Structures are given as structure tokens and as C-alpha cells.
Amino acid sequence: MLVFVPLSVEELRAWAGEGLLTPTDTFAVTAAMRAGFGFAADDDEEAEHTALHIAGLAGLLRCERRLVAVVSAAARPVPDGEFGEVTVPALPWAAVTALFAEDAPQSAARLHHRLVGSTLATAWDDAEVEAFLSEHELLWHGPGEWAALT
């Protein structure tokens, strides 16, 4: 299963250096997420894109930028996790298939400061967040480019 892991710069640096991370927030396309967002079984690409945005927003709530690793891993859905929340074991750096990073760092930092203390559900429904996500895509990077993102 593709798992989307929001990261801080420090977490990315440590994971790439030490080779293992036990993330606290992870997201994937789960049955509950498909139901909550109305994705059909064949909407994989759109559902994965939404899971990427969810992980990016979860990261933005913690940090001043969106930084997300995509990992192929076994994951267990969190009961009633409408945002695709999953739990995973410790993840090896070798399992990272892609990294996605912020394209608008100043705008993201301003939004982060406005959202401090918000829940993921509240932030997701915020009109400014919706506009930000529609205007600013995360940029793809290969795992070997991690140092350029720190």
C-alpha cells in the first residue's frame, strides 16, 4: 500500500541518515477515506492525490512547510479514520519511493501560523486552505534528492 508520511526537515534528515523512522502521522487510501470522500474503487489516482494533500496539510499543521514521503509499506487503517489515517511499523529509508515538497514556502509559513491549534478536519474545511491547496501543488523529488530539501 502507498503510505504518505508528513515530515519535518529534521525528521527527513534523521530518516535518511539513520535509515529507519517510526512515524506518528501516516495516511493512505483506505476504505473509510474512499467512503468519506466519495471515491469509487477505480479512482486510485485521484484518491492518492487527495491522500498526498491530506498528508501535506497534516505536515503543515506541525511545521511551516509541506514535506511528504511516499512509502510502499504494510499499513493498518485507523478505525473511522475518514482522512485515511493508518498505522505502520518502523519504515526503512529504502522503502521511500518519492518525496514531495512545498512550492510556495512563504505562503505555507503564513498559513501554518494562522492554523496553529487547528485540527486536520477543521483545517481541511477552511476556505483559505482549500484555495492554497488548489493553487500550490507539491513538487516531486526522488529519494536521492532528500538533502536538497533540508
Side-chain angles (χ1 to χ4, degrees), residues 2-37:
L2 286 182
V3 177
F4 300 86
V5 183
L7 299 166
S8 67
V9 169
E10 295 78 17
E11 289 168 328
L12 175 60
R13 195 176 294 124
W15 192 6
E18 297 167 13
L20 202 60
L21 175 76
T22 304
T24 55
D25 296 321
T26 50
F27 302 87
V29 178
T30 63
M33 185 225 178
R34 282 185 186 280
F37 284 84

PDB file of all heavy atoms in Angstrom, residues 2-37:
ATOM      1  N   LEU A   2       0.487   2.277  -0.729  1.00  0.00           N
ATOM      2  CA  LEU A   2       1.222   3.534  -0.684  1.00  0.00           C
ATOM      3  C   LEU A   2       0.831   4.290   0.582  1.00  0.00           C
ATOM      4  O   LEU A   2      -0.344   4.507   0.852  1.00  0.00           O
ATOM      5  CB  LEU A   2       0.907   4.405  -1.904  1.00  0.00           C
ATOM      6  CG  LEU A   2       1.515   3.975  -3.212  1.00  0.00           C
ATOM      7  CD1 LEU A   2       1.139   4.961  -4.313  1.00  0.00           C
ATOM      8  CD2 LEU A   2       3.026   3.845  -3.118  1.00  0.00           C
ATOM      9  N   VAL A   3       1.831   4.677   1.338  1.00  0.00           N
ATOM     10  CA  VAL A   3       1.627   5.397   2.594  1.00  0.00           C
ATOM     11  C   VAL A   3       2.279   6.764   2.448  1.00  0.00           C
ATOM     12  O   VAL A   3       3.415   6.879   1.969  1.00  0.00           O
ATOM     13  CB  VAL A   3       2.239   4.621   3.782  1.00  0.00           C
ATOM     14  CG1 VAL A   3       2.095   5.402   5.074  1.00  0.00           C
ATOM     15  CG2 VAL A   3       1.580   3.249   3.910  1.00  0.00           C
ATOM     16  N   PHE A   4       1.555   7.791   2.861  1.00  0.00           N
ATOM     17  CA  PHE A   4       2.011   9.170   2.766  1.00  0.00           C
ATOM     18  C   PHE A   4       2.395   9.642   4.162  1.00  0.00           C
ATOM     19  O   PHE A   4       1.572   9.638   5.075  1.00  0.00           O
ATOM     20  CB  PHE A   4       0.915  10.044   2.155  1.00  0.00           C
ATOM     21  CG  PHE A   4       0.542   9.589   0.769  1.00  0.00           C
ATOM     22  CD1 PHE A   4      -0.417   8.597   0.577  1.00  0.00           C
ATOM     23  CD2 PHE A   4       1.171  10.127  -0.343  1.00  0.00           C
ATOM     24  CE1 PHE A   4      -0.756   8.157  -0.686  1.00  0.00           C
ATOM     25  CE2 PHE A   4       0.843   9.690  -1.615  1.00  0.00           C
ATOM     26  CZ  PHE A   4      -0.119   8.703  -1.798  1.00  0.00           C
ATOM     27  N   VAL A   5       3.665  10.038   4.316  1.00  0.00           N
ATOM     28  CA  VAL A   5       4.231  10.362   5.622  1.00  0.00           C
ATOM     29  C   VAL A   5       4.619  11.839   5.671  1.00  0.00           C
ATOM     30  O   VAL A   5       5.593  12.242   5.020  1.00  0.00           O
ATOM     31  CB  VAL A   5       5.486   9.498   5.908  1.00  0.00           C
ATOM     32  CG1 VAL A   5       6.030   9.779   7.301  1.00  0.00           C
ATOM     33  CG2 VAL A   5       5.183   8.013   5.719  1.00  0.00           C
ATOM     34  N   PRO A   6       3.872  12.669   6.415  1.00  0.00           N
ATOM     35  CA  PRO A   6       4.292  14.060   6.567  1.00  0.00           C
ATOM     36  C   PRO A   6       5.532  14.139   7.449  1.00  0.00           C
ATOM     37  O   PRO A   6       5.649  13.417   8.435  1.00  0.00           O
ATOM     38  CB  PRO A   6       3.091  14.732   7.236  1.00  0.00           C
ATOM     39  CG  PRO A   6       2.293  13.642   7.839  1.00  0.00           C
ATOM     40  CD  PRO A   6       2.625  12.374   7.104  1.00  0.00           C
ATOM     41  N   LEU A   7       6.462  15.013   7.057  1.00  0.00           N
ATOM     42  CA  LEU A   7       7.745  15.091   7.756  1.00  0.00           C
ATOM     43  C   LEU A   7       8.149  16.524   8.039  1.00  0.00           C
ATOM     44  O   LEU A   7       7.812  17.430   7.279  1.00  0.00           O
ATOM     45  CB  LEU A   7       8.853  14.490   6.877  1.00  0.00           C
ATOM     46  CG  LEU A   7       8.757  13.044   6.472  1.00  0.00           C
ATOM     47  CD1 LEU A   7       9.737  12.753   5.349  1.00  0.00           C
ATOM     48  CD2 LEU A   7       9.042  12.162   7.664  1.00  0.00           C
ATOM     49  N   SER A   8       8.929  16.684   9.068  1.00  0.00           N
ATOM     50  CA  SER A   8       9.665  17.931   9.262  1.00  0.00           C
ATOM     51  C   SER A   8      11.014  17.740   8.572  1.00  0.00           C
ATOM     52  O   SER A   8      11.408  16.615   8.243  1.00  0.00           O
ATOM     53  CB  SER A   8       9.877  18.211  10.750  1.00  0.00           C
ATOM     54  OG  SER A   8      10.754  17.245  11.308  1.00  0.00           O
ATOM     55  N   VAL A   9      11.731  18.825   8.373  1.00  0.00           N
ATOM     56  CA  VAL A   9      13.064  18.742   7.784  1.00  0.00           C
ATOM     57  C   VAL A   9      13.966  17.880   8.667  1.00  0.00           C
ATOM     58  O   VAL A   9      14.731  17.050   8.164  1.00  0.00           O
ATOM     59  CB  VAL A   9      13.651  20.156   7.590  1.00  0.00           C
ATOM     60  CG1 VAL A   9      15.125  20.094   7.233  1.00  0.00           C
ATOM     61  CG2 VAL A   9      12.872  20.904   6.519  1.00  0.00           C
ATOM     62  N   GLU A  10      13.850  18.057   9.979  1.00  0.00           N
ATOM     63  CA  GLU A  10      14.681  17.288  10.909  1.00  0.00           C
ATOM     64  C   GLU A  10      14.380  15.788  10.816  1.00  0.00           C
ATOM     65  O   GLU A  10      15.294  14.958  10.852  1.00  0.00           O
ATOM     66  CB  GLU A  10      14.466  17.771  12.343  1.00  0.00           C
ATOM     67  CG  GLU A  10      14.929  19.199  12.592  1.00  0.00           C
ATOM     68  CD  GLU A  10      13.948  20.267  12.064  1.00  0.00           C
ATOM     69  OE1 GLU A  10      12.765  19.953  11.777  1.00  0.00           O
ATOM     70  OE2 GLU A  10      14.390  21.424  11.921  1.00  0.00           O
ATOM     71  N   GLU A  11      13.102  15.440  10.688  1.00  0.00           N
ATOM     72  CA  GLU A  11      12.730  14.023  10.558  1.00  0.00           C
ATOM     73  C   GLU A  11      13.268  13.439   9.261  1.00  0.00           C
ATOM     74  O   GLU A  11      13.760  12.309   9.246  1.00  0.00           O
ATOM     75  CB  GLU A  11      11.201  13.869  10.623  1.00  0.00           C
ATOM     76  CG  GLU A  11      10.625  14.116  11.994  1.00  0.00           C
ATOM     77  CD  GLU A  11       9.110  14.242  11.986  1.00  0.00           C
ATOM     78  OE1 GLU A  11       8.528  14.734  10.981  1.00  0.00           O
ATOM     79  OE2 GLU A  11       8.499  13.870  13.000  1.00  0.00           O
ATOM     80  N   LEU A  12      13.182  14.199   8.173  1.00  0.00           N
ATOM     81  CA  LEU A  12      13.717  13.732   6.893  1.00  0.00           C
ATOM     82  C   LEU A  12      15.216  13.496   7.002  1.00  0.00           C
ATOM     83  O   LEU A  12      15.723  12.452   6.587  1.00  0.00           O
ATOM     84  CB  LEU A  12      13.423  14.740   5.778  1.00  0.00           C
ATOM     85  CG  LEU A  12      14.043  14.429   4.415  1.00  0.00           C
ATOM     86  CD1 LEU A  12      13.566  13.087   3.875  1.00  0.00           C
ATOM     87  CD2 LEU A  12      13.744  15.560   3.435  1.00  0.00           C
ATOM     88  N   ARG A  13      15.919  14.445   7.570  1.00  0.00           N
ATOM     89  CA  ARG A  13      17.372  14.336   7.710  1.00  0.00           C
ATOM     90  C   ARG A  13      17.737  13.103   8.549  1.00  0.00           C
ATOM     91  O   ARG A  13      18.621  12.331   8.180  1.00  0.00           O
ATOM     92  CB  ARG A  13      17.916  15.613   8.371  1.00  0.00           C
ATOM     93  CG  ARG A  13      19.404  15.780   8.262  1.00  0.00           C
ATOM     94  CD  ARG A  13      19.881  17.105   8.854  1.00  0.00           C
ATOM     95  NE  ARG A  13      19.385  18.257   8.096  1.00  0.00           N
ATOM     96  CZ  ARG A  13      18.671  19.258   8.632  1.00  0.00           C
ATOM     97  NH1 ARG A  13      18.380  19.278   9.907  1.00  0.00           N
ATOM     98  NH2 ARG A  13      18.277  20.254   7.878  1.00  0.00           N
ATOM     99  N   ALA A  14      17.050  12.907   9.668  1.00  0.00           N
ATOM    100  CA  ALA A  14      17.336  11.766  10.540  1.00  0.00           C
ATOM    101  C   ALA A  14      17.004  10.445   9.848  1.00  0.00           C
ATOM    102  O   ALA A  14      17.772   9.481   9.937  1.00  0.00           O
ATOM    103  CB  ALA A  14      16.555  11.895  11.843  1.00  0.00           C
ATOM    104  N   TRP A  15      15.874  10.387   9.152  1.00  0.00           N
ATOM    105  CA  TRP A  15      15.454   9.162   8.477  1.00  0.00           C
ATOM    106  C   TRP A  15      16.455   8.771   7.395  1.00  0.00           C
ATOM    107  O   TRP A  15      16.871   7.610   7.315  1.00  0.00           O
ATOM    108  CB  TRP A  15      14.082   9.378   7.875  1.00  0.00           C
ATOM    109  CG  TRP A  15      13.367   8.153   7.383  1.00  0.00           C
ATOM    110  CD1 TRP A  15      13.743   6.845   7.509  1.00  0.00           C
ATOM    111  CD2 TRP A  15      12.122   8.146   6.687  1.00  0.00           C
ATOM    112  NE1 TRP A  15      12.797   6.018   6.926  1.00  0.00           N
ATOM    113  CE2 TRP A  15      11.793   6.803   6.416  1.00  0.00           C
ATOM    114  CE3 TRP A  15      11.259   9.134   6.260  1.00  0.00           C
ATOM    115  CZ2 TRP A  15      10.637   6.434   5.736  1.00  0.00           C
ATOM    116  CZ3 TRP A  15      10.096   8.774   5.594  1.00  0.00           C
ATOM    117  CH2 TRP A  15       9.793   7.434   5.334  1.00  0.00           C
ATOM    118  N   ALA A  16      16.844   9.734   6.583  1.00  0.00           N
ATOM    119  CA  ALA A  16      17.812   9.432   5.519  1.00  0.00           C
ATOM    120  C   ALA A  16      19.163   9.034   6.099  1.00  0.00           C
ATOM    121  O   ALA A  16      19.844   8.170   5.546  1.00  0.00           O
ATOM    122  CB  ALA A  16      17.961  10.631   4.595  1.00  0.00           C
ATOM    123  N   GLY A  17      19.528   9.621   7.219  1.00  0.00           N
ATOM    124  CA  GLY A  17      20.824   9.318   7.830  1.00  0.00           C
ATOM    125  C   GLY A  17      20.839   8.025   8.613  1.00  0.00           C
ATOM    126  O   GLY A  17      21.775   7.230   8.504  1.00  0.00           O
ATOM    127  N   GLU A  18      19.800   7.801   9.413  1.00  0.00           N
ATOM    128  CA  GLU A  18      19.751   6.616  10.271  1.00  0.00           C
ATOM    129  C   GLU A  18      19.122   5.417   9.583  1.00  0.00           C
ATOM    130  O   GLU A  18      19.310   4.285  10.007  1.00  0.00           O
ATOM    131  CB  GLU A  18      18.986   6.941  11.554  1.00  0.00           C
ATOM    132  CG  GLU A  18      19.666   8.015  12.386  1.00  0.00           C
ATOM    133  CD  GLU A  18      18.772   8.560  13.489  1.00  0.00           C
ATOM    134  OE1 GLU A  18      17.719   7.970  13.783  1.00  0.00           O
ATOM    135  OE2 GLU A  18      19.144   9.606  14.050  1.00  0.00           O
ATOM    136  N   GLY A  19      18.319   5.672   8.562  1.00  0.00           N
ATOM    137  CA  GLY A  19      17.735   4.592   7.786  1.00  0.00           C
ATOM    138  C   GLY A  19      16.439   4.016   8.298  1.00  0.00           C
ATOM    139  O   GLY A  19      15.879   3.117   7.684  1.00  0.00           O
ATOM    140  N   LEU A  20      15.901   4.536   9.418  1.00  0.00           N
ATOM    141  CA  LEU A  20      14.668   3.980   9.983  1.00  0.00           C
ATOM    142  C   LEU A  20      13.872   5.088  10.646  1.00  0.00           C
ATOM    143  O   LEU A  20      14.435   5.953  11.322  1.00  0.00           O
ATOM    144  CB  LEU A  20      15.010   2.898  11.010  1.00  0.00           C
ATOM    145  CG  LEU A  20      13.948   1.862  11.329  1.00  0.00           C
ATOM    146  CD1 LEU A  20      13.538   1.065  10.109  1.00  0.00           C
ATOM    147  CD2 LEU A  20      14.466   0.904  12.400  1.00  0.00           C
ATOM    148  N   LEU A  21      12.545   5.079  10.438  1.00  0.00           N
ATOM    149  CA  LEU A  21      11.657   6.074  11.041  1.00  0.00           C
ATOM    150  C   LEU A  21      10.396   5.379  11.507  1.00  0.00           C
ATOM    151  O   LEU A  21       9.820   4.566  10.781  1.00  0.00           O
ATOM    152  CB  LEU A  21      11.297   7.167  10.026  1.00  0.00           C
ATOM    153  CG  LEU A  21      10.288   8.202  10.499  1.00  0.00           C
ATOM    154  CD1 LEU A  21      10.961   9.187  11.463  1.00  0.00           C
ATOM    155  CD2 LEU A  21       9.686   8.953   9.321  1.00  0.00           C
ATOM    156  N   THR A  22       9.946   5.715  12.701  1.00  0.00           N
ATOM    157  CA  THR A  22       8.638   5.280  13.185  1.00  0.00           C
ATOM    158  C   THR A  22       7.759   6.518  13.218  1.00  0.00           C
ATOM    159  O   THR A  22       7.786   7.286  14.185  1.00  0.00           O
ATOM    160  CB  THR A  22       8.738   4.643  14.583  1.00  0.00           C
ATOM    161  OG1 THR A  22       9.684   3.567  14.525  1.00  0.00           O
ATOM    162  CG2 THR A  22       7.391   4.093  15.027  1.00  0.00           C
ATOM    163  N   PRO A  23       7.003   6.755  12.137  1.00  0.00           N
ATOM    164  CA  PRO A  23       6.215   7.984  12.046  1.00  0.00           C
ATOM    165  C   PRO A  23       4.984   7.946  12.952  1.00  0.00           C
ATOM    166  O   PRO A  23       4.442   6.886  13.248  1.00  0.00           O
ATOM    167  CB  PRO A  23       5.806   8.035  10.584  1.00  0.00           C
ATOM    168  CG  PRO A  23       5.834   6.628  10.120  1.00  0.00           C
ATOM    169  CD  PRO A  23       6.868   5.930  10.949  1.00  0.00           C
ATOM    170  N   THR A  24       4.559   9.141  13.363  1.00  0.00           N
ATOM    171  CA  THR A  24       3.360   9.229  14.199  1.00  0.00           C
ATOM    172  C   THR A  24       2.117   9.505  13.376  1.00  0.00           C
ATOM    173  O   THR A  24       1.026   9.072  13.750  1.00  0.00           O
ATOM    174  CB  THR A  24       3.519  10.331  15.263  1.00  0.00           C
ATOM    175  OG1 THR A  24       3.834  11.555  14.596  1.00  0.00           O
ATOM    176  CG2 THR A  24       4.617   9.988  16.246  1.00  0.00           C
ATOM    177  N   ASP A  25       2.256  10.214  12.265  1.00  0.00           N
ATOM    178  CA  ASP A  25       1.127  10.504  11.378  1.00  0.00           C
ATOM    179  C   ASP A  25       1.395   9.872  10.027  1.00  0.00           C
ATOM    180  O   ASP A  25       2.414  10.168   9.398  1.00  0.00           O
ATOM    181  CB  ASP A  25       0.971  12.016  11.168  1.00  0.00           C
ATOM    182  CG  ASP A  25       0.618  12.761  12.432  1.00  0.00           C
ATOM    183  OD1 ASP A  25      -0.176  12.235  13.227  1.00  0.00           O
ATOM    184  OD2 ASP A  25       1.137  13.878  12.614  1.00  0.00           O
ATOM    185  N   THR A  26       0.476   9.027   9.583  1.00  0.00           N
ATOM    186  CA  THR A  26       0.608   8.425   8.261  1.00  0.00           C
ATOM    187  C   THR A  26      -0.777   8.298   7.645  1.00  0.00           C
ATOM    188  O   THR A  26      -1.773   8.093   8.348  1.00  0.00           O
ATOM    189  CB  THR A  26       1.290   7.047   8.328  1.00  0.00           C
ATOM    190  OG1 THR A  26       0.646   6.242   9.321  1.00  0.00           O
ATOM    191  CG2 THR A  26       2.762   7.173   8.682  1.00  0.00           C
ATOM    192  N   PHE A  27      -0.824   8.390   6.334  1.00  0.00           N
ATOM    193  CA  PHE A  27      -2.098   8.392   5.618  1.00  0.00           C
ATOM    194  C   PHE A  27      -1.991   7.492   4.395  1.00  0.00           C
ATOM    195  O   PHE A  27      -0.912   7.340   3.817  1.00  0.00           O
ATOM    196  CB  PHE A  27      -2.453   9.819   5.177  1.00  0.00           C
ATOM    197  CG  PHE A  27      -2.536  10.773   6.337  1.00  0.00           C
ATOM    198  CD1 PHE A  27      -1.392  11.425   6.786  1.00  0.00           C
ATOM    199  CD2 PHE A  27      -3.726  10.986   6.993  1.00  0.00           C
ATOM    200  CE1 PHE A  27      -1.451  12.287   7.875  1.00  0.00           C
ATOM    201  CE2 PHE A  27      -3.791  11.843   8.082  1.00  0.00           C
ATOM    202  CZ  PHE A  27      -2.660  12.497   8.518  1.00  0.00           C
ATOM    203  N   ALA A  28      -3.124   6.921   4.010  1.00  0.00           N
ATOM    204  CA  ALA A  28      -3.189   6.074   2.826  1.00  0.00           C
ATOM    205  C   ALA A  28      -4.627   6.081   2.316  1.00  0.00           C
ATOM    206  O   ALA A  28      -5.536   6.570   2.995  1.00  0.00           O
ATOM    207  CB  ALA A  28      -2.757   4.642   3.162  1.00  0.00           C
ATOM    208  N   VAL A  29      -4.824   5.537   1.146  1.00  0.00           N
ATOM    209  CA  VAL A  29      -6.174   5.406   0.615  1.00  0.00           C
ATOM    210  C   VAL A  29      -6.788   4.171   1.258  1.00  0.00           C
ATOM    211  O   VAL A  29      -6.400   3.042   0.951  1.00  0.00           O
ATOM    212  CB  VAL A  29      -6.161   5.292  -0.921  1.00  0.00           C
ATOM    213  CG1 VAL A  29      -7.576   5.094  -1.439  1.00  0.00           C
ATOM    214  CG2 VAL A  29      -5.512   6.527  -1.536  1.00  0.00           C
ATOM    215  N   THR A  30      -7.695   4.398   2.183  1.00  0.00           N
ATOM    216  CA  THR A  30      -8.369   3.318   2.908  1.00  0.00           C
ATOM    217  C   THR A  30      -9.837   3.279   2.503  1.00  0.00           C
ATOM    218  O   THR A  30     -10.336   4.206   1.852  1.00  0.00           O
ATOM    219  CB  THR A  30      -8.280   3.562   4.427  1.00  0.00           C
ATOM    220  OG1 THR A  30      -8.983   4.781   4.729  1.00  0.00           O
ATOM    221  CG2 THR A  30      -6.832   3.650   4.903  1.00  0.00           C
ATOM    222  N   ALA A  31     -10.526   2.237   2.919  1.00  0.00           N
ATOM    223  CA  ALA A  31     -11.963   2.135   2.636  1.00  0.00           C
ATOM    224  C   ALA A  31     -12.722   3.298   3.260  1.00  0.00           C
ATOM    225  O   ALA A  31     -13.634   3.873   2.637  1.00  0.00           O
ATOM    226  CB  ALA A  31     -12.498   0.801   3.147  1.00  0.00           C
ATOM    227  N   ALA A  32     -12.370   3.677   4.490  1.00  0.00           N
ATOM    228  CA  ALA A  32     -13.051   4.795   5.155  1.00  0.00           C
ATOM    229  C   ALA A  32     -12.796   6.108   4.420  1.00  0.00           C
ATOM    230  O   ALA A  32     -13.701   6.942   4.272  1.00  0.00           O
ATOM    231  CB  ALA A  32     -12.591   4.903   6.610  1.00  0.00           C
ATOM    232  N   MET A  33     -11.582   6.299   3.933  1.00  0.00           N
ATOM    233  CA  MET A  33     -11.276   7.516   3.182  1.00  0.00           C
ATOM    234  C   MET A  33     -12.052   7.530   1.867  1.00  0.00           C
ATOM    235  O   MET A  33     -12.627   8.548   1.493  1.00  0.00           O
ATOM    236  CB  MET A  33      -9.779   7.624   2.920  1.00  0.00           C
ATOM    237  CG  MET A  33      -9.378   8.922   2.243  1.00  0.00           C
ATOM    238  SD  MET A  33      -8.221   8.551   0.923  1.00  0.00           S
ATOM    239  CE  MET A  33      -7.957  10.168   0.258  1.00  0.00           C
ATOM    240  N   ARG A  34     -12.062   6.400   1.166  1.00  0.00           N
ATOM    241  CA  ARG A  34     -12.826   6.321  -0.092  1.00  0.00           C
ATOM    242  C   ARG A  34     -14.291   6.665   0.152  1.00  0.00           C
ATOM    243  O   ARG A  34     -14.890   7.431  -0.607  1.00  0.00           O
ATOM    244  CB  ARG A  34     -12.729   4.929  -0.707  1.00  0.00           C
ATOM    245  CG  ARG A  34     -11.446   4.657  -1.422  1.00  0.00           C
ATOM    246  CD  ARG A  34     -11.502   3.276  -2.116  1.00  0.00           C
ATOM    247  NE  ARG A  34     -10.237   2.936  -2.688  1.00  0.00           N
ATOM    248  CZ  ARG A  34      -9.783   3.385  -3.855  1.00  0.00           C
ATOM    249  NH1 ARG A  34     -10.505   4.205  -4.575  1.00  0.00           N
ATOM    250  NH2 ARG A  34      -8.602   3.022  -4.303  1.00  0.00           N
ATOM    251  N   ALA A  35     -14.858   6.112   1.216  1.00  0.00           N
ATOM    252  CA  ALA A  35     -16.261   6.373   1.530  1.00  0.00           C
ATOM    253  C   ALA A  35     -16.471   7.842   1.904  1.00  0.00           C
ATOM    254  O   ALA A  35     -17.419   8.480   1.441  1.00  0.00           O
ATOM    255  CB  ALA A  35     -16.727   5.462   2.660  1.00  0.00           C
ATOM    256  N   GLY A  36     -15.604   8.380   2.735  1.00  0.00           N
ATOM    257  CA  GLY A  36     -15.748   9.755   3.198  1.00  0.00           C
ATOM    258  C   GLY A  36     -15.615  10.785   2.088  1.00  0.00           C
ATOM    259  O   GLY A  36     -16.270  11.827   2.117  1.00  0.00           O
ATOM    260  N   PHE A  37     -14.772  10.498   1.103  1.00  0.00           N
ATOM    261  CA  PHE A  37     -14.546  11.440   0.011  1.00  0.00           C
ATOM    262  C   PHE A  37     -15.302  11.055  -1.258  1.00  0.00           C
ATOM    263  O   PHE A  37     -15.229  11.772  -2.256  1.00  0.00           O
ATOM    264  CB  PHE A  37     -13.048  11.550  -0.289  1.00  0.00           C
ATOM    265  CG  PHE A  37     -12.308  12.372   0.716  1.00  0.00           C
ATOM    266  CD1 PHE A  37     -11.862  11.803   1.901  1.00  0.00           C
ATOM    267  CD2 PHE A  37     -12.060  13.713   0.503  1.00  0.00           C
ATOM    268  CE1 PHE A  37     -11.177  12.555   2.848  1.00  0.00           C
ATOM    269  CE2 PHE A  37     -11.383  14.482   1.430  1.00  0.00           C
ATOM    270  CZ  PHE A  37     -10.940  13.900   2.614  1.00  0.00           C
TER     271      PHE A  37
END
